[in-house]
Amino acid sequence: MDAERDVLDLLLADARQSTADIARQTDRTEAEVEAAIDDLEAAGVVHGYQAVVDWANADEERVEGHVELNVELDRETKYEDIAGRIANYSEVETLRLVSGDYDFAAVVVGTSMRDVSAFVADQIAPIPEVTQTVTHFVMDTYKRRGVEFADHDDDDRLSVSP
Amino acid sequence: MKVADRVERTPPSGIRKFFELAEAADDVISLGVGEPDFSAPWAARAAAIDALERGQTSYTANRGRADLREGIAEHVTQYDLDYDPESEIIVTAGASEAVDLSMRALVDPGDTVAVPQPSYISYAPTAKFAGAEVLPVPTRAENGFKLTDDALAAAGAADADALIYCYPNNPTGAVMDEADLRPVANFAREHDLTVFADEIYAALTYGGDHDSIATLPGMGERTVVIGGFSKAFAMTGLRLGYALAPPEAVEAMNRVHQYTMLSAPTTAQFAGLEAIRSCDDAVEEMREAYDRRRRYVLSRFREMGLDCFEAEGAFYVFPECPGDDEQFAENLLTEEGVAVVPGSVFGEGGEGHLRVSYATGMDDLREATARIERFLD
Ligand SMILES: Cc1ncc(COP(=O)(O)O)c(C=O)c1O
């Protein structure tokens, strides 16, 4: 397999591990691993490295709304144009164009439901192309980016076995 | 109460002592575990739950459910193995039972069973419980712990009646490809040995696909292939395995099985069927994770100056250690809290080595190898 794909798999599993450890696990040199990471970043494959946070356990008020957006296009306006305007808001954590009953699926983050609602009402809804918004507040998160948040049983295997 | 002589004569496994030491110590990271750190794939677990919910709690046919045997027949075609689910497959309570059945159904008291060393610890005792003599056949680090016809000849295996081995190997991680197996197959044919090929780690190879000795000319008729779900599908606790063999051998094994086990665990059979039907991707993910850890551990050992041959199967590496392996393992455990298994418990040729299992998460492997490095300094 090519180095970039190998390295990407390891970054996906744990982006904090050292280049030396990635090199050991892929039988490559550290220089090769660094070059692969540079290439992944330069090609726009990897845009960043972030923690997977279970906010329920952080001592913080944080509300997440999943917002469905319908838009109406015209001759001059394309999806990307509208997306660019919406994505510029720092409150918008995720924005994707989707198939089905609505056009965009956004994730909006705020400190309270009122905060998120106000943002959608005051900033998103008034955009001329936006015809409808539906906001779903997140009540609980069980799994995120492949990581389950439930407590796991301890490793109860016998410590030494044949 | 009086204990039977043949049991009295069989010492407890040398692993036991390290188990007790490790259990007694605090903050131990264990690289001594012979089973996956993953849970069985969810689809397999869900099938087990579903079977229980539907009330499927009866015995099955002695040889196992027909659909499972058909599934196994299909599953092993990936190794070019071709077995009739009706007459050539028996489902057992783990590969362990298949090993036991092989001995009890196909070996006579007084027969000689050749057992390559170092080796998985069950073969010699099971052979002895069946009344057979055990002939150790040493394998060596310089041959990558592969079994050779020369080693068989030198040990006197020409006069043996049967040979039992496992490749991919526990404890060394060695594998044997078709070219390696051919001389062993020739030896077995020439000297009329029955071969019990424990291929439970077949799915866990890292250099190339697994080859089975049973596919070589004239070998199907004298080989019992032992397989299982414990390792590849991370299902150790469900106790499910199987044997593939010519009809008369399966018939004989089933004779013992029907009186001693009746049938393999029913819930496990449902899980196993789902596992072979739909869990290839999960197995591949686990295999890739093992492979990354294998490379990690091998390169860390090389950095520390521990000699370690390139193990290409199962989830073990088998580095050489300075001095006496038992003493080394005991000191490593008490001083640094890392449990490994001394190679000598796996028989002749294992001394001076350690079995290191990488069926453990990367964080623990990082910490454990750091501790070993400190211990060596
Ligand atoms: C080589 C070998 N054969 C057989 C077994 C036992 O497998 P099972 O759980 O299917 O009885 C093991 C388990 O450690 C093993 O390493």
Side-chain angles (χ1 to χ4, degrees):
Chain A
M1 232 200 285
D2 64 298
E4 283 171 36
R5 184 63 236 189
D6 280 356
V7 169
L8 187 57
D9 275 338
L10 281 154
L11 291 175
L12 281 166
D14 175 7
R16 280 196 75 205
Q17 57 192 326
S18 66
T19 7
D21 277 0
I22 295 178
R24 292 182 181 111
Q25 290 171 80
T26 55
D27 267 349
R28 298 179 199 278
T29 64
E30 278 190 67
E32 285 169 336
V33 171
E34 261 156 45
I37 293 175
D38 288 346
D39 289 346
L40 285 165
E41 290 175 356
V45 177
V46 172
H47 284 267
Y49 307 88
Q50 294 186 338
V52 182
V53 178
D54 184 355
W55 289 101
N57 292 334
D59 197 12
E60 239 172 81
E61 292 301 320
R62 187 179 189 276
V63 170
E64 208 173 283
H66 283 225
V67 185
E68 306 172 358
L69 296 170
N70 265 308
V71 299
E72 207 166 65
L73 302 180
D74 61 34
R75 220 182 277 278
E76 274 84 51
T77 322
K78 299 199 286 288
Y79 281 125
E80 294 89 280
D81 302 324
I82 307 169
R85 298 230 292 279
I86 298 172
N88 270 331
Y89 290 103
S90 62
E91 289 88 343
V92 176
E93 186 223 55
T94 301
L95 181 65
R96 286 182 284 206
L97 181 66
V98 296
S99 65
D101 288 344
Y102 51 95
D103 300 308
F104 290 108
V107 177
V108 174
V109 173
T111 53
S112 65
M113 282 192 183
R114 174 194 289 254
D115 185 34
V116 170
S117 306
F119 170 77
V120 173
D122 298 345
Q123 308 296 337
I124 303 295
I127 296 173
E129 293 83 0
V130 173
T131 56
Q132 193 194 22
T133 70
V134 179
T135 303
H136 305 271
F137 288 105
V138 173
M139 325 236 328
D140 211 345
T141 303
Y142 305 102
K143 185 175 182 181
R144 192 159 192 162
R145 307 179 50 156
V147 181
E148 283 185 68
F149 287 172
D151 283 343
H152 278 281
D153 289 346
D154 289 342
D155 183 351
D156 57 1
R157 294 177 297 163
L158 299 179
S159 53
V160 179
S161 57
Chain B
M1 194 183 288
K2 181 188 174 300
V3 169
D5 292 342
R6 66 179 182 288
V7 175
E8 205 68 85
R9 277 196 305 269
T10 309
S13 143
I15 281 196
R16 185 84 215 162
K17 175 178 159 199
F18 277 84
F19 168 68
E20 277 157 17
L21 284 173
E23 290 288 296
D26 287 335
D27 184 30
V28 171
I29 300 180
S30 183
L31 307 183
V33 187
E35 62 177 323
D37 56 315
F38 300 100
S39 294
W42 172 245
R45 283 184 277 156
I49 295 167
D50 185 50
L52 286 172
E53 279 182 347
R54 283 185 286 119
Q56 301 270 12
T57 53
S58 354
Y59 298 125
T60 69
N62 292 137
R63 293 175 183 211
R65 287 177 57 88
D67 53 4
L68 177 58
R69 276 181 280 132
E70 278 156 23
I72 291 168
E74 170 64 32
H75 181 69
V76 299
T77 56
Q78 65 180 305
Y79 306 118
D80 293 329
L81 293 169
D82 179 14
Y83 286 90
D84 171 27
E86 259 315 296
S87 61
E88 299 180 316
I89 298 180
I90 178 169
V91 178
T92 55
S96 301
E97 196 212 349
V99 170
D100 186 40
L101 291 180
S102 303
M103 296 294 174
R104 288 201 281 164
L106 306 170
V107 174
D108 273 316
D111 280 1
T112 298
V113 178
V115 184
Q117 313 270 309
S119 152
Y120 179 55
I121 57 168
S122 291
Y123 305 144
T126 347
K128 286 183 196 155
F129 290 149
E133 305 289 330
V134 169
L135 177 73
V137 181
T139 64
R140 312 213 172 282
E142 54 272 26
N143 299 328
F145 292 104
K146 292 174 202 279
L147 177 62
T148 62
D149 50 352
D150 287 346
L152 283 164
D159 296 327
D161 303 283
L163 163 68
I164 183 164
Y165 68 68
C166 60
Y167 287 98
N169 188 261
N170 176 5
T172 63
V175 296
M176 287 181 66
D177 64 17
E178 195 182 315
D180 300 322
L181 289 168
R182 214 169 286 129
V184 173
N186 291 342
F187 188 94
R189 267 196 318 270
E190 195 175 324
H191 301 289
D192 196 21
L193 302 188
T194 301
V195 176
F196 306 129
D198 180 349
E199 303 185 0
I200 191 166
Y201 290 102
L204 302 179
T205 61
Y206 310 106
D209 289 340
H210 171 73
D211 293 325
S212 174
I213 197 167
T215 61
L216 297 180
M219 288 308 292
E221 63 211 56
R222 63 175 62 254
T223 304
V224 176
V225 175
I226 294 164
F229 293 79
S230 285
K231 313 297 171 166
F233 296 107
M235 279 175 43
T236 44
L238 278 81
R239 311 309 302 125
L240 195 68
Y242 52 87
L244 316 170
E248 65 281 8
V250 165
E251 176 64 40
M253 292 167 80
N254 190 40
R255 189 98 42 93
V256 178
H257 174 79
Q258 75 183 191
Y259 288 121
T260 55
M261 185 62 69
L262 271 175
S263 59
T266 301
T267 311
Q269 294 191 43
F270 283 99
L273 180 58
E274 186 60 28
I276 50 183
R277 274 189 184 155
S278 75
C279 299
D280 286 355
D281 289 349
V283 172
E284 180 55 17
E285 262 177 51
M286 291 189 270
R287 196 193 66 82
E288 283 172 10
Y290 291 133
D291 192 17
R292 292 195 289 262
R293 299 164 181 186
R294 178 184 73 93
R295 291 175 175 164
Y296 177 81
V297 172
L298 285 172
S299 46
R300 290 292 281 124
F301 284 162
R302 280 189 205 114
E303 289 160 22
M304 295 175 209
L306 283 183
D307 260 336
C308 192
F309 91 101
E310 176 90 20
E312 291 196 330
F315 33 63
Y316 310 104
V317 293
F318 204 62
E320 280 178 36
C321 70
D324 177 69
D325 55 303
E326 286 217 25
Q327 199 56 55
F328 185 96
E330 203 170 322
N331 293 346
L332 178 63
L333 181 58
T334 47
E335 287 171 36
E336 291 289 350
V338 176
V340 298
V341 183
S344 51
V345 312
F346 300 99
E348 234 175 282
E351 64 283 345
H353 291 80
L354 304 169
R355 189 193 74 173
V356 175
S357 160
Y358 49 87
T360 293
M362 270 306 292
D363 288 343
D364 277 349
L365 286 178
R366 256 184 222 117
E367 174 62 19
T369 48
R371 291 185 190 183
I372 295 173
E373 189 163 38
R374 194 165 59 201
F375 177 75
L376 286 169
D377 274 347

